[in-house]
Each structure stands twice: as C-alpha cells, then as structure tokens.
Amino acid sequence: MLDDFLVRAALAGVGVSLAAAPLGCFIVWRRMAYFGDATAHAAMLGVALSLTLSTPIFAGVLLISLLMAVTVSTLSGRGYAMDTLLGVMAHSALAVGLVAVSFLSGVRIDLMAYLFGDILAVGKTDLAIIWGGALLVLVMVGYRWSALLLSTLNPDLAMASGISPRREQLVLTIALAIVVAVAIKVVGVLLIAAMLIIPAASARRFSRTPEVMALMAAIIGACANVAGLSFSYHFDSPTGPTIVCVVAVLFIALNTIQLISQRLSARLTSIRQD
C-alpha cells in the first residue's frame, strides 16, 4: 500500500497535522505567530548546512531550527522587543540560507521544493521520519500539557506552583523545531507557519476546552491536507500551497458559520423577549 505515492503523501500530511495541532494552539494562545514563522524561515539555513556537509536534510534543519528557537527564547526579555528580534532573525536566516545554497557548487537543488514543499516526493524513509517526529512531539506535549497550559494562561500562578514558565517555553520551542524539521518536506519553509496557526485559529471559536481545541485543530489540518492533496492531483496545482489554500478556506467558512449562528441566536433571543 505504501508503494502508492498518493497514500504516502496523505499519511505524511496527516502526520504533520497531528504534530502541528497542539503546538499551533499554544502559538495562538501565547500570540507567538511570528515565532513559528521565524523558526520555519531558519530551516532554509539548515538545508544549506546539510547540503554542504552531505548530511540528511532533516538533521540540518532540526539543528538550525533548535538553535533559532533557543536563541530567541534566550534573548527575549533582555532588552530586545520580541517582534523586532523575531523579524530580524527570521528574515536574516532565510536570506543567509538562500545565499548559502546559491554558492554550493556541484549540487543541484530544487529550491521551490524546500520553499513550498514537495509532498508528492515523500518516500518511506521520509514517512518514518515524519511520523517518528510527530509521535515524539505528541509525547512531549502530552507529558507537559498541564504545565504548558498553566504557564501559558497564568505564568505567576505557574511559578507559585513550582513550574518554571521559561522551562516550559523551552519545551515548546524544542517541539516546534521538531515539527518544522519534519514538515519542510510537506509544505516547505514558507508555509509551515500557516499549517501551525490556521487550523488552531479555525478551531478556537468552536472549542470550550483546550483539549477540544487541539483535537479539532488536528482534524481540520488532516482534512485540509487530504483535500488539498486531492485538489492538487486533479487540477495539477502546487501541492503545498493548495493545502494551505484549503485550510484558509476552511478558516473563512467556519468563521462565517459561527458569525451567522451568533446573529441568528441573537435575533431569536430578541424575538422571544419581544
């Protein structure tokens, strides 16, 4: 069954969605959208490093993503505004990575595949790496779920309970780096942040608990991956951007449904009161 490239692509997309969903929720809650973007952009430098040293792309991307995440976490709150710091590091890392790749001699590289993903080229080894990384992230986040949630909602209460918010942020950044490393093959450097944020933002209005939001985000992301893959196959469009387009349409549709539902509910309440 795994000899079918469409099946491998669908499984890869679902694996990335499962790993990205809970992290996306924390990024939305903490208002760290730019943080995910910065870590993803740094992945291009990891690609250049891997090609230079002839090592697996996953290893280089994971190393650079971890360095970026830890550096941002360390420098934040030390005289640097977070948005300024992320802006400088995100665009600098992406630019340096693209320039470094252009200087590699004797190496043929499909730059578009790394920028926008090449999910249809996912092999069995890639699939094993994606699902292995996804399971590792789910175990990390699941094990630290309560501590992460408390440090997100109320850092002062977390400290009073013996939980270090800075340590929990480090756990979150490490998990994010792993997701970026496994997702680069699916949606590419420029679209990873979209798959982290949009499913979580779509699920937010329909969720009464954090756990439900994470579950709904995973379902929305998985459905968007499968639907986007199908549309891409039938209409011969670029797969990574098509997946993001589908999840964006779902975001608009779900928010429209929520808005209509709220207005109808308000109108019915007004009629009953009259």
Side-chain angles (χ1 to χ4, degrees):
M1 182 180 70
L2 293 181
D3 289 334
D4 190 336
F5 73 97
L6 285 177
V7 175
R8 291 197 300 270
L11 289 175
V14 171
V16 169
S17 298
L18 292 177
L23 291 182
C25 292
F26 282 108
I27 287 174
V28 169
W29 293 329
R30 289 172 174 246
R31 299 181 181 179
M32 293 170 56
Y34 213 0
F35 183 84
D37 212 25
T39 307
H41 284 182
M44 200 63 223
L45 191 56
V47 171
L49 178 66
S50 296
L51 293 174
T52 302
L53 301 178
S54 300
T55 58
I57 297 294
F58 172 79
V61 171
L62 180 59
L63 176 62
I64 297 299
S65 297
L66 281 172
L67 286 175
M68 170 65 80
V70 172
T71 300
V72 171
S73 296
T74 302
L75 292 179
S76 62
R78 298 192 178 185
Y80 298 91
M82 178 61 83
D83 58 344
T84 303
L85 181 64
L86 289 174
V88 170
M89 297 192 70
H91 299 298
S92 299
L94 179 60
V96 170
L98 291 173
V99 171
V101 167
S102 70
F103 281 119
L104 294 177
S105 59
V107 177
R108 297 187 62 183
I109 176 174
D110 183 4
L111 202 56
M112 294 292 287
Y114 291 108
L115 291 176
F116 298 104
D118 191 12
I119 191 173
L120 297 179
V122 169
K124 293 180 179 179
T125 302
D126 297 320
L127 200 56
I129 291 173
I130 289 170
W131 274 92
L135 290 175
L136 178 59
V137 168
L138 290 175
V139 169
M140 286 176 62
V141 175
Y143 178 68
R144 303 299 306 172
W145 179 263
S146 297
L148 282 168
L149 198 58
L150 184 58
S151 63
T152 297
L153 300 176
N154 195 325
D156 293 333
L157 181 59
M159 291 185 68
S161 303
I163 297 171
S164 170
R166 200 167 190 84
R167 182 187 62 202
E168 299 310 319
Q169 182 174 339
L170 182 60
V171 171
L172 194 62
T173 57
I174 292 173
L176 179 61
I178 296 172
V179 169
V180 169
V182 300
I184 190 171
K185 189 78 172 183
V186 178
V187 290
V189 169
L190 299 182
L191 303 177
I192 291 172
M195 289 306 298
L196 281 165
I197 298 164
I198 300 178
S202 302
R204 189 173 191 175
R205 286 180 174 268
F206 296 88
S207 308
R208 295 192 176 186
T209 66
E211 292 78 12
V212 171
M213 180 174 166
L215 179 60
M216 285 193 65
I219 293 172
I220 291 169
C223 290
N225 269 281
V226 174
L229 181 62
S230 178
F231 287 137
S232 173
Y233 180 75
H234 285 98
F235 296 106
D236 195 26
S237 58
T239 310
T242 302
I243 291 172
V244 176
C245 285
V246 170
V247 78
V249 169
L250 286 175
F251 173 78
I252 294 171
L254 289 172
N255 277 274
T256 302
I257 292 170
Q258 176 72 3
L259 182 61
I260 292 172
S261 175
Q262 286 177 347
R263 289 188 176 182
L264 287 175
S265 178
R267 184 170 297 180
L268 287 173
T269 302
S270 178
I271 292 172
R272 287 172 183 172
Q273 288 176 350
D274 293 339

